[in-house]
Amino acid sequence: MNAAKNESLQWHRLDSEKVLEVLQSSAKGLSSEEARRRLERHGPNELLEKRHKPLWRMFLDQFRDFMILVLIAAAVVAGVIGEPSDTIAIAVIVLLNAVLGFVQEYRAEKAMAALKSLAAPAATVLRDGRPASIPARQLVPGDLVVLEAGNVVPADIRMTEAVQLRIDEAALTGESVPVEKGVESLRSEDLPVGDRKNMAYKGTLVTYGRGRGMVTATGMETELGHIASLLQGQDEGRTPLQKRLGAFGRKLAYAVLAICAIVFLSGVLRGEPTLLMLLTAISLAVAAIPEALPAVITISLALGARKLVRKQALIRKLPAVETLGSVTYICSDKTGTLTLNSMTVEQIFVDGHLHRSGDLPGAGAVESGEGAQPDKRSLELLFKALSLCNDARLDASNAVIGDPTETALFELGREKGYLRDRLDEKYPRLGEIPFDSERKLMTTFHPWEDGRVISFSKGAVEEILERCGKTASDGRTEEVDTARILETAEQVAGDGLRTLGFGFRIWESLPDDPTPETTETGLTFIGMVGMLDPPRPEAAKAVSMCRTAGIRPVMITGDHPLTAEVIARRVGIIGTEEGAVMTGRQLARLSLEDFKYQVEKMRVFARVAPEQKLKIVKALQEKGQFVAMTGDGVNDAPALKRADIGVAMGITGTDVSKEASHMILLDDNFATIVKAVREGRRIFDNIRKFIKYTMTSNSGEICTIFLAPFLGLPMPLLPIHILWINLVTDGVPGLALAAEPGEADIMDRPPRAPKESIFANGLGIHIIWVGLLMGGVSILTQAWFIDNSQSHWQTMVFTVLCLSQMGHVLAIRSERESFFRQGALSNKPLFGAVLLTFLLQMATIYVPFLNGIFKTEPLTAGELSVTLLFSTVVFLAVELEKAFKRAQAQDKRHRPEEFQS
């Protein structure tokens, strides 16, 4: 018996005797000697971790990004030419960036540690025919394990005995209700993990009952081990912004080197001093590199993350904030994310008619109901039955605890005025026959009128009807119409609701030693209920916003396909289209290559296994989609890590899923993801605005210095002027752009393509034409005042270039909306930064101490007026550009449809 053979066996299809035979074990378990030999052969029952990257290597890897290398080079150059302030500023930015990257990568390594924490520390087994408690890591295939309520399942186990055994497998399969376990073999070949009722899996929790079973797999061979392998095999890719900035940094470095070389050579050939031209070229190189960009990105992401926490989204990895803006698909779990994670009774069949639960009156209010109301006695009997034949209870905080189905019935009874504590006083439980999965029924006994006893039975509708001869109707009993009730039950189930039937029987006294065979017969049918975990009220609106924003929401769930489709239609994930639901079985039959051609047509995936969630994410990514994936269980961790954005649940999520994720929803709400996407788009817009602003400013500086000599003019700026403009204008105003509010149409446009250049949508053209205009206005100022024999021309050029950039930053706050419509104070940090920059520039002109440092001279009132007038040209030009864009958009909206393509 080897591991490979073990793994290939479908244990759920084998009967108990065959399992013992294959595992070479017995009903008394293994001997201690045999267990020792098997432990040597199979190894300890624990999850193995791949070798970690050393911390020093993890830290040094943060400096490999091309943009960071360019900045380091700029810092060295700035130090060489005697500008230590620039060197220090760049060094701080680079170091901060490295520390943030290191922390994020270090935290990502914790997912495996969280997965290992799920393992049970000890297990009870039969060794040498006697019960023994051993460390769970010493379990081997063939061990006979004893399970009781409260135990964590220590390995994968094929059950050989199960007494009312229920196991919570939510962490592994996503199934929200504890699963009833049995021992009968299952014949289906391709059953998903959640449907293997005779198997118990490592890391799941026994919630009720007891059982025994043979260990079939340990360590990395278990389902949990399989997930660990998937988790360790997934490397996180670079975010779209990181890819764009890498390409941007390379292109920028080459362009800057070329331009600086041309400026230096042309100046020397024209007879300018070699040292001056060298310093000018180097200053230009330092100025052209947007060293504030990493700081702006980090601050934008940090501010966005802080804002998202207030909206119930906790960002674990900063780049995820921006990545949200690129999302094209949101693959969401159903339970708790799109739904309330709380079963609710929606429909009630009583007195021969089907009613919505909200339409039925409560205790003492039957006569006030509108429309056709059921008989008061039949309704009272049903509400008493669902309240009394129920194990749910209130805890100290008055919250209902128990099985989700029973809590739904308890809540309905409470809502209708049938309070459990009052009912228990009048009708205390005298006896019970607990629920079990074979008969699918539960029965309780209570005192009734005239000293008699009543038994209430609840369970599967067909099982209740099989034991009923009559039905309660209009206060009397009549022959039960089984066919009609079953037809109604199928109709309710067809709406995706879980059905439950109720019956009763009157006894003269409490039966002695009640058994199912003697007491669950001769029942009278009371009615049935249809239950559903309903959609969150805000889910439909959030899904609609996704569609408007060009994002496709997809549901991935472990629940039944019919239930999943009903919820998907209610929230708008599925519209009128057919064939948009795929099950785990159907998915298992498709290769990844075949699945890629169908994945974009699907809107719901039901009954899926862990590796299938991963398969869905991979298929969408290979089709060029950008995927956000939600999950709460251990089974979701590999897909969360592989997804472009992994979103874990904060309330129901396991530690494993949280550690593998990029973002945690503190309220487990789908609508919160949509808010996060909006914030991600806003942040990317603002980063793009900063690039537009700083690169246009740099372009203007380059044009001014590059073109002036070709027009026969002397060097318009000194190296100190270039570095000052670079320090003052690129710094504070650029950082203040991070606080810019989102545009009004931010969720009315499609996601940007993941491969889209950072210069797309006219950004590159804007940088060129506005840079040329900025340089042109500066050169015009120089030419005009040199010709007029003004000695202050260089100070005027210096000021025009500086203040033109301030006008530009105010104008580009929005792609289309006018600055005057936005209002100067709608971004107070930016308004303050522009005002501060203006005052600092004035100080370089009018503070005598600074004149010597900056080689400036005080301007007359007339010269300052002309300088300020010239400085508005760029602002007005960009405002005209936006007015033209608005006119185009207006024209497109009013154009007849036949002219629009």
Side-chain angles (χ1 to χ4, degrees):
M1 185 189 65
N2 56 49
K5 180 183 175 183
N6 252 14
E7 192 177 8
S8 64
L9 280 170
Q10 293 187 316
W11 296 103
H12 64 278
R13 299 185 67 205
L14 306 181
D15 57 35
S16 300
E17 291 75 20
K18 187 66 175 176
V19 171
L20 291 174
E21 180 188 329
V22 173
L23 289 169
Q24 298 169 23
S25 188
S26 71
K28 294 182 179 181
L30 299 173
S31 67
S32 297
E33 183 58 29
E34 177 61 21
R36 185 188 62 76
R37 285 196 294 268
R38 293 191 183 191
L39 186 60
E40 289 177 1
R41 189 187 318 152
H42 294 283
N45 174 35
E46 56 189 12
L47 303 182
L48 305 178
E49 294 186 64
K50 66 181 180 181
R51 191 176 176 185
H52 291 303
K53 189 190 293 183
L55 295 182
W56 62 268
R57 173 72 183 279
M58 204 182 287
F59 182 72
L60 289 180
D61 281 351
Q62 308 307 318
F63 297 95
R64 292 170 58 190
D65 187 85
F66 191 83
M67 192 70 185
I68 297 298
L69 294 174
V70 169
L71 285 176
I72 291 170
V76 172
V77 170
V80 168
I81 65 170
E83 292 297 331
S85 58
D86 268 28
T87 301
I88 293 166
I90 295 171
V92 168
I93 289 165
V94 168
L95 192 61
L96 177 65
N97 191 70
V99 169
L100 286 169
F102 170 78
V103 169
Q104 288 157 21
E105 190 172 342
Y106 177 71
R107 288 174 68 180
E109 295 288 334
K110 289 186 178 178
M112 268 304 297
L115 193 61
K116 290 180 80 172
S117 71
L118 289 174
T124 302
V125 299
L126 260 65
R127 288 272 172 92
D128 302 313
R130 296 188 302 274
S133 180
I134 65 169
R137 69 187 302 276
Q138 293 179 11
L139 282 176
V140 294
D143 259 327
L144 183 60
V145 176
V146 178
L147 295 177
E148 294 178 340
N151 290 163
V152 174
V153 179
D156 284 4
I157 296 171
R158 168 63 165 88
M159 301 309 303
T160 57
E161 179 186 328
V163 180
Q164 298 174 31
L165 181 67
R166 296 181 204 168
I167 297 181
D168 181 356
E169 297 181 338
L172 189 66
T173 66
E175 178 62 59
S176 55
V177 179
V179 180
E180 187 85 19
K181 293 296 179 179
V183 299
E184 297 299 317
S185 59
L186 305 167
R187 296 304 172 198
S188 181
E189 284 189 32
D190 51 358
L191 275 182
V193 169
D195 290 340
R196 297 175 192 171
K197 306 294 185 185
N198 55 16
M199 296 291 297
Y201 292 101
K202 182 178 175 70
T204 58
L205 179 67
V206 180
T207 60
Y208 193 83
R210 58 185 174 81
R212 291 185 178 190
M214 304 300 300
V215 172
T216 58
T218 59
M220 296 301 286
E221 304 299 330
T222 62
E223 286 294 326
L224 197 65
H226 181 45
I227 291 169
S229 300
L230 292 173
L231 187 60
Q232 294 183 125
Q234 300 311 312
D235 292 321
E236 295 179 59
R238 298 172 75 215
T239 68
L241 185 64
Q242 287 169 334
K243 293 173 186 172
R244 290 184 179 107
L245 289 179
F248 167 64
R250 280 189 292 275
K251 291 174 185 174
L252 178 64
Y254 300 145
V256 166
L257 289 173
I259 290 170
C260 292
I262 294 170
V263 167
F264 173 73
L265 290 172
S266 61
V268 170
L269 291 173
R270 206 175 52 253
E272 298 282 358
T274 303
L275 182 60
L276 173 64
M277 290 314 302
L278 179 63
L279 290 175
T280 301
I282 292 173
S283 300
L284 195 60
V286 172
I289 299 294
E291 69 270 15
L293 182 56
V296 167
I297 291 169
T298 301
I299 289 169
S300 297
L301 298 178
L303 290 175
R306 191 174 70 176
K307 190 173 181 181
L308 283 172
V309 167
R310 294 197 293 269
K311 294 181 179 179
Q312 302 298 308
L314 176 66
I315 301 298
R316 292 190 65 254
K317 299 167 188 175
L318 267 187
V321 182
E322 177 276 329
T323 310
L324 281 159
S326 295
V327 165
T328 59
Y329 265 76
I330 299 177
C331 296
S332 174
D333 193 17
K334 176 183 73 70
T335 306
T337 309
L338 288 163
T339 66
L340 292 170
N341 194 22
S342 166
M343 294 294 285
T344 304
V345 176
E346 291 209 338
Q347 295 189 1
I348 297 176
F349 179 82
V350 63
D351 208 15
H353 298 283
L354 191 62
H355 307 268
R356 294 191 62 80
S357 63
D359 296 338
L360 293 178
V366 175
E367 305 303 328
S368 65
E370 296 181 10
Q373 294 294 327
D375 176 71
K376 177 179 179 179
R377 285 160 294 186
S378 300
L379 194 58
E380 281 185 352
L381 197 59
L382 177 62
F383 283 142
K384 285 176 181 176
L386 59 82
S387 298
L388 290 168
C389 187
N390 193 324
D391 286 332
R393 66 185 191 280
L394 293 174
D395 65 8
S397 62
N398 217 32
V400 185
I401 56 173
D403 178 89
T405 299
E406 297 204 316
T407 59
L409 298 175
F410 189 103
E411 288 283 15
L412 177 65
R414 187 161 68 160
E415 178 191 325
K416 298 301 183 182
Y418 293 84
L419 304 178
R420 176 68 170 275
D421 52 353
R422 293 183 190 172
L423 289 173
D424 281 342
E425 288 176 13
K426 190 174 182 181
Y427 309 107
R429 187 178 296 189
L430 303 175
E432 66 180 291
I433 305 174
F435 177 88
D436 71 53
S437 58
E438 289 184 16
R439 63 184 225 287
K440 300 177 182 175
L441 291 175
M442 171 185 177
T443 298
T444 58
F445 297 86
H446 308 268
W448 202 241
E449 299 157 1
D450 303 325
R452 292 180 292 177
V453 171
I454 190 169
S455 65
F456 289 119
S457 296
K458 75 174 179 192
V461 176
E462 60 274 17
E463 296 294 334
I464 290 285
L465 287 171
E466 196 176 297
R467 293 161 172 78
C468 290
K470 296 184 179 298
T471 182
S473 178
D474 291 328
R476 62 183 189 279
T477 58
E478 57 186 42
E479 289 298 314
V480 65
D481 188 347
T482 302
R484 179 167 175 261
I485 295 172
L486 284 175
E487 184 182 337
T488 306
E490 286 177 14
Q491 174 193 330
V492 173
D495 289 336
L497 276 66
R498 185 176 295 173
T499 58
L500 200 63
F502 293 85
F504 77 97
R505 180 176 172 179
I506 303 293
W507 304 80
E508 292 304 319
S509 62
L510 182 67
D512 295 326
D513 192 22
T515 64
E517 293 75 21
T518 58
T519 57
E520 290 176 343
T521 58
L523 303 180
T524 299
F525 185 77
I526 309 172
M528 69 177 168
V529 297
M531 291 173 287
L532 185 73
D533 180 11
R536 287 178 176 268
E538 63 274 25
K541 182 181 177 183
V543 167
S544 175
M545 283 178 68
C546 281
R547 289 185 174 278
T548 304
I551 301 167
R552 290 185 180 179
V554 171
M555 180 193 291
I556 303 179
T557 179
D559 215 334
H560 193 280
L562 187 59
T563 307
E565 184 175 350
V566 167
I567 296 295
R569 290 195 184 279
R570 285 200 192 184
V571 300
I573 287 176
I574 299 179
T576 55
E577 65 263 37
E578 297 295 327
V581 181
M582 181 178 281
T583 65
R585 286 190 184 188
Q586 293 168 327
L587 179 53
R589 298 188 190 111
L590 296 173
S591 68
L592 183 60
E593 198 60 36
D594 291 336
F595 179 49
K596 275 164 42 180
Y597 295 105
Q598 296 190 40
V599 66
E600 292 179 313
K601 299 174 187 173
M602 297 297 119
R603 294 293 171 267
V604 174
F605 295 92
R607 287 285 195 234
V608 292
E611 63 272 18
Q612 291 177 326
K613 294 188 177 188
L614 195 56
K615 188 175 179 179
I616 293 164
V617 171
K618 284 181 178 177
L620 285 169
Q621 287 175 332
E622 288 189 20
K623 294 291 283 185
Q625 302 296 345
F626 219 76
V627 185
M629 169 82 181
T630 75
D632 57 3
V634 174
N635 60 333
D636 298 320
L640 290 176
K641 192 172 181 183
R642 172 62 189 243
D644 299 290
I645 289 289
V647 184
M649 303 296 112
I651 299 171
T652 59
T654 58
D655 286 346
V656 183
S657 63
K658 291 174 184 175
E659 292 295 346
S661 70
H662 303 82
M663 180 174 90
I664 299 172
L665 298 184
L666 300 177
D667 59 358
D668 290 11
N669 193 340
F670 180 83
T672 302
I673 306 174
V674 182
K675 293 176 189 172
V677 168
R678 181 187 181 90
E679 186 64 17
R681 291 188 175 191
R682 182 190 74 84
I683 286 168
F684 182 76
D685 281 357
N686 289 349
I687 290 170
R688 211 166 164 272
K689 284 170 189 173
F690 174 79
I691 291 171
K692 178 191 275 192
Y693 163 65
T694 191
M695 293 311 298
T696 303
S697 299
N698 295 350
S699 172
E701 293 163 27
I702 290 168
C703 288
T704 304
I705 294 168
F706 187 69
L707 296 177
F710 290 99
L711 298 173
L713 297 169
M715 288 300 295
L717 298 170
L718 298 173
I720 187 68
H721 297 154
I722 299 170
L723 293 171
W724 170 257
I725 291 173
N726 180 53
L727 178 67
V728 175
T729 63
D730 276 12
V732 182
L735 292 171
L737 277 173
E740 190 62 39
E743 306 244 8
D745 66 344
I746 200 165
M747 290 299 280
D748 295 334
R749 59 189 194 226
R752 54 186 190 278
K755 293 183 180 178
E756 178 184 280
S757 163
I758 208 158
F759 295 105
N761 301 314
L763 178 60
I765 295 170
H766 178 96
I767 289 170
I768 293 168
W769 82 258
V770 177
L772 283 169
L773 178 63
M774 203 177 283
V777 171
S778 302
I779 291 170
L780 178 63
T781 305
Q782 179 184 13
W784 188 347
F785 285 95
I786 279 181
D787 285 349
N788 285 283
S789 302
Q790 297 288 337
S791 61
H792 299 163
W793 65 266
Q794 196 165 56
T795 302
M796 296 177 73
V797 172
F798 175 36
T799 306
V800 165
L801 189 56
C802 181
L803 298 185
S804 291
Q805 293 179 16
M806 293 302 95
H808 182 237
V809 78
L810 293 174
I812 61 162
R813 287 178 53 201
S814 171
E815 289 285 334
R816 291 183 182 176
E817 196 173 0
S818 165
F819 168 78
F820 302 104
R821 185 177 178 83
Q822 284 181 293
L825 296 179
S826 56
N827 184 345
K828 292 185 180 70
L830 181 61
F831 181 74
V834 169
L835 189 61
L836 175 63
T837 303
F838 176 79
L839 294 174
L840 288 173
Q841 183 62 25
M842 292 301 103
T844 65
I845 300 172
Y846 294 109
V847 175
F849 166 71
L850 295 175
N851 289 150
I853 296 172
F854 288 97
K855 309 295 189 289
T856 54
E857 298 175 82
L859 301 178
T860 65
E863 290 169 339
L864 182 62
S865 299
V866 172
T867 300
L868 294 176
L869 184 65
F870 276 29
S871 300
T872 62
V873 171
V874 170
F875 172 80
L876 295 173
V878 176
E879 283 294 321
L880 283 172
E881 179 195 34
K882 292 194 293 183
F884 179 69
K885 285 182 180 177
R886 291 196 298 273
Q888 275 189 318
Q890 191 80 3
D891 182 53
K892 191 174 181 181
R893 278 198 298 270
H894 289 95
R895 203 182 305 163
E897 280 187 22
E898 60 266 26
F899 293 107
Q900 295 185 33
S901 56

